[in-house]
């Protein structure tokens, strides 16, 4: 029984094995109709609980479809439908769910919720996102880069904007997959120093460059994320927009990177804010391949957790 909680908590060789499996599963599906089940019904007879304390499109659909393609069934639960950490302790919820289902994915706010659930569950727990990290997304991102440009080891990735939870997972990936990462954004939004330290301890070069044009020089991949959260108050939204406006990914910024540099965004994107339409829809953008690969990467993660 294995949990998938964070990239820096999963052995690097296992992460590579998960990606190799994801590629094989995607290739095996080929051009089959979307509703076609996988030939290898790896989750047949199993039930997966999907817990959402945060709204979701890609995470919900990709995990739900992935489990079904592999012959499993899903039970989708929202925070409003459960007593997670309110009427019932998280530990007790973990114990109860372990009696009913075979695997759990949770998308939540506090990292402590994820960790307590995993500590007391006797079934695998997958981190679908917390305020601290988003490891499933980055597995799909690494898979997407390697589909288009080959091995990511030794490449230069530039994160532009807010050093948020997705950025933290990119730093974990830099250490685990052996690429370098440059962050460019305002000092007040610098990435988690613990994530920076992990990447550096693993041998990755991590740099902070306030000038975005200098930061993307020699970049193989440019990545950004939304500047605003749906939970931000209007006053906070205005402050963040002003702070991050110089870090918009536009065509001038992409022109300063390598000519074949890819662009990624985990979506949803606020077009004309963190990224322009010209970049989002341009030839170097792989955002929709990236979104699709959430499905394949997460199917491989589920199989790794269950050992099937």
């Amino acid at each position: 029984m294995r949990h998938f909680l964070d990239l820096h908590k999963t052995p690097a060789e296992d992460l590579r094995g998960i990606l190799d499996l994801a590629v094989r599963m995607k290739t095996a599906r080929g051009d089959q109709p979307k509703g076609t089940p996988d030939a290898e019904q790896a989750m047949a007879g199993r039930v997966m609980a999907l817990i959402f304390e945060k709204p979701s499109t890609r995470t919900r659909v990709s995990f739900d479809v992935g489990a079904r393609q592999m012959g499993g069934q899903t039970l989708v639960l929202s925070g409003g439908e459960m007593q997670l950490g309110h009427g019932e302790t998280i530990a007790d919820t973990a114990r109860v769910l372990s009696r009913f289902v075979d695997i759990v994915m949770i998308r939540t706010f506090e990292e402590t919720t994820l960790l307590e659930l995993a500590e007391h569950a006797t079934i695998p727990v997958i981190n679908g996102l917390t305020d601290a990290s988003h490891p499933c997304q980055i597995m799909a991102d690494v898979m997407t880069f390697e589909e288009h440009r080959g091995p990511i080891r030794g490449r230069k990735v530039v994160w532009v904007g807010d050093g948020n939870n997705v950025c933290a997972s990119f730093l974990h990936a830099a250490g685990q997959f052996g690429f370098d990462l440059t962050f460019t954004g305002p000092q007040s939004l610098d990435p988690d120093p613990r994530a920076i330290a992990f990447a550096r301890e693993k041998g990755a070069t991590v740099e902070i460059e306030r000038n975005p044009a200098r930061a993307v020089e020699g970049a193989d991949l440019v990545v950004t994320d939304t500047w605003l959260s749906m939970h931000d108050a209007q006053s906070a939204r205005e402050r963040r927009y002003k702070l991050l406006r110089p870090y918009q990914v536009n065509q001038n910024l992409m022109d300063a990177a390598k000519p074949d540099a890819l662009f990624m965004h985990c979506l949803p994107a606020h077009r004309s804010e963190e990224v322009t339409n010209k970049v989002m829809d341009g030839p170097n953008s792989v955002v929709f391949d990236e979104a699709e690969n959430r499905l394949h990467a997460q199917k491989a993660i589920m199989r790794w957790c269950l050992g099937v």
Side-chain angles (χ1 to χ4, degrees):
M1 193 271 294
R2 293 180 283 201
H3 301 307
F4 188 80
L5 303 180
D6 263 314
L7 299 184
H8 66 302
K9 296 179 179 179
T10 305
E13 59 271 22
D14 286 8
L15 295 175
R16 176 51 64 187
I18 290 168
L19 287 187
D20 291 344
L21 176 59
V23 171
R24 292 198 300 272
M25 294 179 75
K26 182 177 182 179
T27 302
R29 286 196 64 81
D31 297 324
Q32 295 180 68
K34 296 178 181 63
T36 305
D38 291 355
E40 191 174 1
Q41 295 285 277
M43 283 187 64
R46 291 182 167 88
V47 177
M48 182 174 201
L50 305 174
I51 302 173
F52 293 94
E53 291 198 302
K54 282 189 172 187
S56 169
T57 299
R58 276 149 296 277
T59 299
R60 176 169 178 164
V61 175
S62 57
F63 269 109
D64 196 339
V65 171
R68 291 168 187 260
Q69 285 182 352
M70 294 190 294
Q73 298 182 59
T74 58
L75 177 65
V76 181
L77 301 166
S78 70
E81 295 171 322
M82 302 182 66
Q83 302 184 58
L84 190 63
H86 301 294
E88 180 176 67
T89 66
I90 295 168
D92 284 351
T93 298
R95 294 182 181 107
V96 170
L97 286 176
S98 297
R99 302 293 182 99
F100 294 145
V101 301
D102 301 282
I103 184 169
V104 173
M105 185 287 305
I106 183 168
R107 181 180 175 93
T108 188
F109 293 90
E110 297 294 332
E111 184 183 34
T112 53
T113 301
L114 167 77
L115 298 179
E116 188 173 353
L117 191 72
E119 180 183 355
H120 296 280
T122 56
I123 55 174
V125 174
I126 296 174
N127 176 3
L129 176 140
T130 71
D131 288 345
S133 63
H134 197 358
C136 291
Q137 177 65 55
I138 307 310
M139 291 294 282
D141 293 355
V142 173
M143 178 180 176
T144 305
F145 181 90
E146 295 192 336
E147 277 184 339
H148 288 268
R149 296 290 185 265
I152 199 169
R153 179 170 294 276
R155 302 298 192 111
K156 178 180 178 179
V157 175
V158 179
W159 181 276
V160 183
D162 181 3
N164 59 15
N165 53 349
V166 187
C167 181
S169 287
F170 246 115
L171 284 160
H172 294 153
Q176 298 289 56
F177 289 101
F179 60 85
D180 300 326
L181 189 141
T182 297
F183 170 81
T184 183
Q187 185 174 0
S188 60
L189 298 177
D190 275 354
D192 183 348
R194 296 169 299 175
I196 294 174
F198 173 83
R200 286 175 173 164
E201 287 168 5
K202 289 288 188 174
T205 297
V206 178
E207 297 181 346
I208 294 179
E209 170 57 65
R210 303 298 172 199
N211 184 313
R214 282 203 295 267
V216 300
E217 290 177 359
D220 297 288
L221 172 61
V222 177
V223 192
T224 193
D225 196 2
T226 179
W227 294 343
L228 307 171
S229 166
M230 66 185 73
H231 308 289
D232 289 338
Q234 185 60 36
S235 57
R237 294 169 72 90
E238 291 170 357
R239 286 196 302 273
R240 286 176 65 85
Y241 186 86
K242 184 177 181 180
L243 190 65
L244 286 161
R245 186 68 180 83
Y247 296 96
Q248 181 188 69
V249 181
N250 51 41
Q251 194 57 51
N252 286 339
L253 190 64
M254 290 300 296
D255 288 343
K258 284 184 177 179
D260 65 345
L262 297 178
F263 170 74
M264 289 189 191
H265 189 306
C266 66
L267 303 179
H270 295 155
R271 289 170 176 258
S272 302
E273 291 187 8
E274 70 269 11
V275 59
T276 62
N277 287 336
K278 188 172 183 180
V279 172
M280 271 281 290
D281 300 324
N284 291 30
S285 173
V286 292
V287 296
F288 298 111
D289 291 344
E290 178 187 5
E292 178 194 342
N293 282 337
R294 289 287 302 277
L295 171 66
H296 308 296
Q298 288 162 187
K299 286 166 68 174
I301 290 168
M302 288 184 261
R303 289 186 61 174
W304 176 82
C305 286
L306 291 166
V308 296

